[in-house]
Amino acid sequence: REKTERILVIKLWAIGEVVLATPVFEALRQKYPDAQIDLLVGKTALAVVEHNPHLSSVIPIDESIFLRLRLREIIRLARRLQPAKYDTAILLHKVFIYGVFARLCGIRRRLGLSRGFEGFALTDRIPQATHHVHRVEEYLSVLGPLGIQTSLRPTTIFLRPKAHESANQLLSKETLQDPPPPTISLLPTGGANDAAGQLGTNFLTKRWPIPSYLELADRLSQQGARVLILGGPAEQRLRPSFESLDSPNLHIWIGETDLETTMGLLHASDLVVSNDSGPMHIASALGIPVLAAFGPTYTQVARPLSPGSRVLTGSTPCTCHVREDVFPNIVPTCKQDQICLKSVTVDQMIEAATEMLTEAKSTRP
């Protein structure tokens, strides 16, 4: 039996994709409680994994060296990791360069997803599924050769106290009635990240239209909910639109909070409304009910997994789903002006949000 005492997991790219890989860390730790389990991750996603107790250490890197195939820097990184003498590499990518990199690191056993010829540097090749499966299930399938159960399990994020403290400082600046209203976070974001942007593969057509978010924020606020509008620097241009709303209980913190504080605010929410995005997966991993509008991405692949979550897909199906059989992914230009997402109406969102808040209240201890 081949020893598995030192394991390197490689998962770069978008924040949401790293969140979807968290069940792999837990499964490995359960199988190998005493092993050294390290994660190679991009710096942009560090905050969602750096406090994960299932990992021995996290190695943040500039992932652009892989995205742009900077071979000299890739070789330099491999030499840096060689002294760790990893026994096994878990590659949560389908692109050939990661298998080559693991081999350069001197890792004897290399398990990964195999798409066409791209798995040639792997020792254990897991074929890409021929049908749509959830990304979590796909990542877990890589562990099959280790005898690990690969059925779907929830994602998890572990927050340090500072995240809650920072969020509470913001939330405590107002006086609420008794009992307090529900807190609903809106995330008008998704499809953009630093890593993908370097290759021009941002997928902004995943976003539910901003006019819909504006109407939803106004109506929920007018109904008495405390509504938080959250987003990062990439969403700064949206601030004026939300600031134009004359709504009580509306708090616009786009671009004002770091990722850790944003995670604290999501954790303090009763409901999170979004489209397919990294923050949506963060909220789901924190166990918060998520109401999500989906258009160009498949619900079977990326739906939120937290209890009580729902996905709305509208009455008009998407005709330009992203292709995943090539690298980099072909990101389509929408020829129908986001008709799939526009067919998810604000009325549908309001109805679903009301039902979800009622359900959450009834099940709260």
Side-chain angles (χ1 to χ4, degrees):
R1 179 179 174 181
E2 198 166 354
K3 67 175 183 177
T4 306
E5 298 175 356
R6 302 183 67 83
I7 302 169
L8 179 66
V9 182
I10 300 176
K11 184 58 196 165
L12 308 176
W13 281 58
I15 290 173
E17 293 291 317
V18 175
V19 173
L20 292 172
T22 57
V24 170
F25 316 150
E26 180 182 15
L28 283 170
R29 180 57 67 196
Q30 290 173 345
K31 176 73 172 182
Y32 305 108
D34 300 319
Q36 176 80 18
I37 303 174
D38 297 342
L39 172 68
L40 191 71
V41 70
K43 292 179 180 177
T44 55
L46 177 61
V48 302
V49 292
E50 63 180 330
H51 306 296
N52 192 305
H54 305 305
L55 296 170
S56 304
S57 69
V58 178
I59 307 167
I61 65 164
D62 176 6
E63 55 204 342
S64 68
I65 68 173
F66 288 99
L67 296 169
R68 294 192 175 278
L69 291 180
R70 294 173 179 160
L71 296 180
R72 185 174 300 176
E73 294 176 57
I74 290 172
I75 293 171
R76 187 180 301 128
L77 177 61
R79 288 174 177 168
R80 173 186 152 196
L81 296 178
Q82 283 172 358
K85 298 186 183 301
Y86 292 107
D87 309 302
T88 304
I90 305 298
L91 310 175
L92 303 181
H93 292 278
K94 302 168 188 172
V95 186
F96 74 93
I97 189 61
Y98 297 100
V100 172
F101 169 74
R103 188 169 182 176
L104 289 173
C105 291
I107 305 174
R108 184 169 57 176
R109 191 173 188 188
R110 302 175 297 277
L111 296 80
L113 298 163
S114 180
R115 179 177 57 186
F117 75 94
E118 295 193 78
F120 66 87
L122 304 174
T123 59
D124 297 77
R125 301 176 181 87
I126 292 78
Q128 183 175 3
T130 57
H131 61 287
H132 294 299
V133 299
H134 199 280
R135 189 76 79 220
V136 167
E137 201 169 0
E138 181 181 55
Y139 290 158
L140 285 168
S141 71
V142 177
L143 307 182
L146 299 177
I148 295 176
Q149 177 60 252
T150 61
S151 56
L152 189 63
R153 61 173 77 190
T155 55
T156 51
I157 289 178
F158 299 87
L159 299 182
R160 61 176 179 166
K162 181 184 175 184
H164 302 293
E165 292 166 4
S166 300
N168 289 335
Q169 284 179 359
L170 286 173
L171 294 171
S172 64
K173 291 180 179 178
E174 58 182 302
T175 302
L176 299 176
Q177 66 265 33
D178 188 24
T183 297
I184 304 176
S185 287
L186 268 58
L187 299 167
T189 180
N193 64 75
D194 292 340
Q198 295 180 51
L199 288 178
T201 59
N202 278 327
F203 195 6
L204 302 183
T205 51
K206 292 197 301 183
R207 295 186 179 185
W208 197 45
I210 296 305
S212 299
Y213 274 114
L214 290 168
E215 182 182 348
L216 180 65
D218 187 48
R219 289 174 59 178
L220 289 173
S221 176
Q222 296 290 352
Q223 291 176 9
R226 176 168 62 173
V227 180
L228 315 181
I229 310 297
L230 306 178
E235 287 74 54
Q236 276 281 22
R237 62 182 180 80
L238 303 179
R239 283 192 66 102
S241 298
F242 285 98
E243 288 171 345
S244 69
L245 298 176
D246 183 20
S247 299
N249 306 323
L250 185 62
H251 306 276
I252 304 162
W253 288 324
I254 293 175
E256 293 185 13
T257 59
D258 58 19
L259 183 54
E260 188 170 43
T261 302
T262 298
M263 291 193 292
L265 290 168
L266 293 174
H267 188 265
S269 302
D270 297 292
L271 176 67
V272 171
V273 180
S274 181
N275 40 255
D276 180 22
S277 68
M280 180 203 77
H281 290 299
I282 288 174
S284 177
L286 292 171
I288 308 304
V290 174
L291 174 59
F294 269 55
T297 45
Y298 295 102
T299 59
Q300 307 99 305
V301 172
R303 71 183 187 278
L305 299 175
S306 50
S309 291
R310 297 191 191 183
V311 170
L312 297 181
T313 56
S315 58
T316 305
C318 178
T319 58
C320 61
H321 279 100
V322 65
R323 290 181 59 192
E324 297 184 339
D325 59 335
V326 291
F327 175 78
N329 287 348
I330 292 177
V331 180
T333 299
C334 184
K335 298 178 181 178
Q336 298 194 48
D337 193 26
Q338 282 190 291
I339 190 171
C340 58
L341 280 167
K342 286 181 178 178
S343 67
V344 179
T345 68
V346 176
D347 284 341
Q348 288 176 303
M349 285 290 208
I350 291 284
E351 181 181 2
T354 302
E355 292 175 356
M356 292 172 69
L357 288 169
T358 301
E359 292 170 2
K361 188 175 181 180
S362 65
T363 57
R364 192 174 300 155

